[in-house]
Amino acid sequence: MALGHSTSTMTSLYKQAQSAIPATISLPLHWLKSYEDFVTKNANSVTQIESTLRSLTYIIPGRFRESELASESLHTSTLLLSLYHTSLLRRQFPSPLPPSPQTRYITHFTTRSRLYSHSITLLQTVQYTELLCEMFFKRRGGDKARWRLIVMLEIVKAICRTIMFWFTGRRPLVEGMAPERPKLPVAEPEALHMGEESVVDGVLVSDGGQSRVSDERMKEWPMPRTKMTLPVLPTSSGSSITDFLSSRVISPDDIKLPPHLVRKIATFQGQAAEVLYILRPVAYALALQRLQSANGGNKRDWRPWLLGLGMEVAAREFRRKEIGERRPAGGWRGCTGLEKEELKRRKWGLAWWGMRGAFYENVTR
């Protein structure tokens, strides 16, 4: 009898534990769903909180011990959280305004391949966390562990960029690979009824007989038949009217299909230029690591700096020749808006070599 009673007790306890397991597993998912609902319902407030947290990173350094690591941890966490919020808001609030050409181009490929989308996410995550990881590894393992980490991260970023370059049909990489955060919906202004105040045809009338016209009604004019609204033209100066009209002009990039916003690289020189540009950070990091292990890290040695700069200049020269040989429209005038922005960014990127390596130690400093 005692054995049968204990067996039934164990069976009932087992069934209770088995029924409680699904509820325990689903609890984190419930918390995540609640958090996502909070973000979508308070999108503007969440954006302001992110901005406030980023501002704290300028105040924390120097306030207490280990403040640099704490400041960088807060900055990295804020960037990762912002990245998650952006992906969440893009699913919930597709922007009603025409997206930028860059957003159209990136969204076109991210919606067609999970590998491309995961490569962008991994690349951004590495870029956001590399400095924090570098600081941590230097404190725990010294310069040797730090340089191993740097080389590994540069290899991971090069693999992600290679996947993106290949999947887009050998198109040049575009800076800012992730789509931008959509325009957050703004709540319509509601009249607050206090005391004897009321709204009549858009005019707020108070007890004292004073009135003011709603700002929203002053910004647009409703058409009687179609009920559509027309914006009010600016009247301050002629330049403002010109800017107003220019902002409503459709450019060629606005009507192009997303894949046509960046043209394919058809020549061997152009593809070699992009491969050199992708591998340049890896070669520079490997050269610095070798220098560190060979002679204790002589920062005034010019060889790694010349290697990195030479690869970037060679990539730029090959790219310039490829653009000049394009048909039917070659040269700078034949480039799209996204290509021009990327070429300008890479051109200004050459100036950063004045703040790196041996040039900084021997000249700039």
Side-chain angles (χ1 to χ4, degrees), residues 123-163:
L123 179 60
Q124 278 201 308
T125 303
V126 172
Q127 289 176 339
Y128 288 163
T129 59
E130 58 184 351
L131 182 55
L132 178 62
C133 295
E134 182 180 341
M135 294 171 64
F136 180 79
F137 271 70
K138 184 177 181 179
R139 294 191 178 212
R140 297 298 181 182
D143 286 335
K144 190 174 182 180
R146 169 175 167 255
W147 280 110
R148 286 179 180 175
L149 174 71
I150 292 175
V151 172
M152 183 185 68
L153 292 179
E154 292 298 340
I155 292 175
V156 171
K157 291 194 291 185
I159 293 174
C160 293
R161 292 188 176 109
T162 303
I163 293 174

Side-chain angles (χ1 to χ4, degrees), residues 90 102-112 177 179:
R90 282 188 59 81
Q102 178 181 348
T103 301
R104 291 172 53 217
Y105 176 75
I106 299 300
T107 304
H108 171 78
F109 291 105
T110 54
T111 55
R112 280 162 175 75
M177 284 70 64

